[in-house]
Amino acid sequence: MFESDTDSWLLWLVVIFAISSLVLLNLPTQYGGIIGKDRSANRVQILVLGDIGRSPRMQYHAMSIAKHGAQVDLIGYRESDIHPDILANPNTIKVHPLNPAPAYFQTKDKRLFLVYGPLKVLFQIWTLWLALGYRTKASRWMLVQNPPSIPTLAIAYVICFLRHTRLVIDWHNFGYSILALRLGSAHPLVQISRLYEQIYARFAQAHFCVTDAMARVLERDFGITRKIWPLHDRPASHLQVLTEAQRSSFLDTLPNLLSSDQHLRLQDYQRLVSEIKMGKSRLLVSSTSWTPDEDFSVLLEALINYSDLAITTHPHLPEVLVVVTGKGPQKDAFIARIKDLRAEEKLEMVSIETAFLSTSDYAKLLGSADLGVSLHTSSSGVDLPMKVVDMFGAGLPVVGWGDFEAWPELVHEGINGQSFSDAKGLQEALMLLFGGDGELLGRLKQGAVEEGKMRWDKEWDRVARKLFFPN
């Protein structure tokens, strides 16, 4: 009996030793580069737990880092077009697509979300572990976009610990504040998410964030003592002010770029485009990911009232073509609502179309428009919409939801844009800018052009270069 027990224990010890050895031998390799004059040793992983194509800031990071000679591994979902400059440099920036979670993990039902949410997280943990630890080489730095924070920050920290990599978080917003839009701020999962975010934030070697207001929150509420650099979003070089000839040429092609839900006949588009060129009608543009932090009912209500006034008491108001770009979960509901409003004849002076454009065509659309609209309400109050930065890069003035703390860091009232806090405020802004002699709109455009002269490369070199390339 004693010998049998001893043999069993020895067998278990051998099994445990074999498993432990297998695990240790298969741990991710560690970074061993020596940073000197050879900057190619300064490898950087950039992680986006989202669509790379709809994460312009992280793409700009990749291009800036590669421009200074380092190797970049860009990791994320590949669901839409990636910036052409990234694809043109496969030897310095390598894109590593993540496998998307199964479609059935997506649900709007709060009860099912509590079941499917954890399953989706487990799937993401596995795909991140493989991508960060095995599919890419060990790096000196890992730059992580936040949010989403779960499971990104935890997996990134473990990989960085195992591979001797330095973790840097780029804060675009807070994950817990976005979760609160779905579950409510008092929900236990929101509170757990906030605590999780605060804990893992302290493991990072450095932090970037999009506003000064966010830096204050990270320092005050998250207790971060390591360096926090506000790195303001700036437009990239492909966003430019168009000449009149370039604008006219693009407007001629616009009807072909709109989605299949367009309702105007080709001759109606041609008439409307001609009037836009002459300033008799206006082109209004907005872009969105169709998520809960952008309430497009505000835009629809403002346009309904605008149209009603344009055919009754304010006949001097011009006809407006509205183009909303992007894709996301709430787009179908928006399109259905537009169709209902058309049937009810509530948009007689307004045509609303959707589009999902390439990087180049999107830049041309912004450069061809008369006014941009931002409906980003900020779940945290301290982030800012990248779309407004893009609009300024194309010399496009902006009206936007400005009822949050960080808004004045980007838009200067009456100089490059105007703010509103409800549908009536947006309607009044449209009437003021489109119904006058064009002087105010022209002044805001000039302010947008001046704001757009501050470019990403210069801002990145001023702030981020000293972290990744101290010498």
Side-chain angles (χ1 to χ4, degrees):
M1 176 70 70
F2 178 77
E3 289 183 0
S4 177
D5 290 344
T6 302
D7 290 343
S8 297
W9 277 108
L10 286 173
L11 177 61
W12 275 110
L13 286 173
V14 169
V15 171
I16 292 171
F17 177 78
I19 293 174
S20 300
S21 299
L22 187 64
V23 170
L24 290 173
L25 288 172
N26 285 279
L27 284 176
T29 57
Q30 295 180 346
Y31 178 78
I34 299 174
I35 303 304
K37 293 182 179 180
D38 181 12
R39 288 187 172 180
S40 63
N42 195 0
R43 194 175 198 95
V44 181
Q45 290 174 315
I46 297 180
L47 174 60
V48 180
L49 193 59
D51 181 15
I52 296 173
R54 287 188 283 173
S55 302
R57 181 178 169 98
M58 303 310 286
Q59 294 185 79
Y60 298 165
H61 271 299
M63 290 185 286
S64 294
I65 291 170
K67 196 174 293 184
H68 288 284
Q71 300 290 313
V72 178
D73 292 302
L74 182 55
I75 304 156
Y77 300 119
R78 189 165 182 180
E79 299 170 350
S80 56
D81 291 340
I82 293 176
H83 196 289
D85 288 354
I86 290 178
L87 301 179
N89 292 281
N91 293 328
T92 53
I93 305 177
K94 294 185 178 180
V95 178
H96 303 269
L98 292 173
N99 294 322
Y104 54 78
F105 284 161
Q106 304 293 336
T107 179
K108 296 179 181 179
D109 189 313
K110 288 186 178 181
R111 293 167 298 179
L112 291 178
F113 175 75
L114 297 178
V115 176
Y116 287 154
L119 293 177
K120 181 180 179 181
V121 169
L122 288 174
F123 180 87
Q124 290 174 331
I125 288 173
W126 177 245
T127 56
L128 286 176
W129 180 261
L130 292 179
L132 296 174
Y134 298 93
R135 287 173 52 199
T136 53
K137 295 180 180 180
S139 62
R140 179 175 175 82
W141 300 98
M142 183 188 296
L143 178 61
V144 177
Q145 173 184 291
N146 188 79
S149 54
I150 298 174
T152 316
L153 297 183
I155 298 302
Y157 165 71
V158 172
I159 291 292
C160 286
F161 176 79
L162 292 174
R163 305 193 87 172
H164 293 180
T165 296
R166 300 179 182 185
L167 176 62
V168 181
I169 302 175
D170 189 24
W171 297 84
H172 299 195
N173 203 345
F174 300 121
Y176 78 88
S177 69
I178 294 177
L179 185 62
L181 294 175
R182 176 179 293 187
L183 302 178
S185 58
H187 197 282
L189 284 181
V190 174
Q191 301 304 314
I192 292 171
S193 176
R194 179 187 175 96
L195 181 62
Y196 164 94
E197 217 162 350
Q198 289 174 330
I199 290 172
Y200 280 101
R202 297 174 188 177
F203 292 132
Q205 297 292 316
H207 304 262
F208 298 122
C209 58
V210 294
T211 65
D212 296 325
M214 187 175 287
R216 292 192 293 269
V217 171
L218 288 171
E219 192 172 53
R220 181 188 66 228
D221 299 343
F222 279 49
I224 293 175
T225 57
R226 286 177 171 161
K227 186 65 178 178
I228 303 170
W229 281 294
L231 177 63
H232 291 89
D233 283 320
R234 303 294 184 197
S237 58
H238 70 282
L239 293 154
Q240 297 289 338
V241 178
L242 300 184
T243 65
E244 281 302 315
Q246 290 171 325
R247 180 175 186 258
S248 177
S249 176
F250 176 78
L251 287 173
D252 288 337
T253 67
L254 181 58
N256 299 323
L257 298 174
L258 301 178
S259 300
S260 58
D261 58 284
Q262 57 185 311
H263 71 287
L264 291 179
R265 296 174 300 174
L266 182 58
Q267 54 265 42
D268 292 324
Y269 270 116
Q270 291 171 339
R271 173 193 59 79
L272 194 50
V273 164
S274 295
E275 291 182 355
I276 289 171
K277 291 179 182 179
M278 294 184 292
K280 292 182 178 180
S281 295
R282 298 295 186 181
L283 175 58
L284 186 70
V285 172
S286 187
S287 62
T288 179
S289 298
W290 299 106
T291 50
D293 62 346
E294 293 183 309
D295 184 1
F296 269 77
S297 66
V298 173
L299 177 61
L300 289 179
E301 184 179 342
L303 292 173
I304 291 169
N305 293 335
Y306 177 96
S307 180
D308 180 59
L309 292 169
I311 60 176
T312 55
T313 58
H314 294 68
H316 65 285
L317 290 174
E319 190 174 354
V320 179
L321 172 61
V322 181
V323 179
V324 183
T325 70
K327 64 179 180 179
Q330 296 184 341
K331 181 178 179 180
D332 290 342
F334 177 77
I335 292 174
R337 178 61 177 148
I338 293 172
K339 289 181 179 178
D340 290 341
L341 292 173
R342 289 173 186 160
E344 297 166 11
E345 298 183 346
K346 292 185 176 181
L347 292 171
E348 292 186 42
M349 291 293 288
V350 176
S351 299
I352 306 175
E353 305 295 350
T354 61
F356 189 69
L357 305 175
S358 67
T359 299
S360 174
D361 284 335
Y362 178 61
K364 292 174 184 176
L365 174 64
L366 295 184
S368 301
D370 296 293
L371 186 67
V373 175
S374 170
L375 291 158
H376 179 81
T377 55
S378 180
S379 63
S380 64
V382 293
D383 73 313
L384 286 170
M386 182 70 187
K387 73 191 74 178
V388 175
V389 176
D390 291 341
M391 290 172 181
F392 286 159
L396 181 63
V398 174
V399 289
W401 185 284
D403 193 18
F404 57 97
E405 181 183 352
W407 180 254
E409 289 190 34
L410 180 60
V411 177
H412 308 296
E413 199 75 14
I415 297 176
N416 54 24
Q418 290 190 199
S419 64
F420 60 86
S421 57
D422 54 25
K424 183 174 177 56
L426 175 54
Q427 167 213 313
E428 291 174 346
L430 296 179
M431 293 176 65
L432 179 64
L433 294 172
F434 290 168
D437 59 6
E439 181 182 352
L440 177 57
L441 186 60
R443 188 164 71 243
L444 294 185
K445 180 174 180 61
Q446 185 56 42
V449 170
E450 290 299 318
E451 185 72 24
K453 290 179 179 178
M454 294 182 284
R455 293 288 162 161
W456 170 265
D457 284 340
K458 187 174 182 180
E459 178 76 358
W460 194 91
D461 284 349
R462 183 183 69 84
V463 177
R465 180 178 179 178
K466 55 192 170 189
L467 174 66
F468 296 109
F469 306 102
N471 299 323

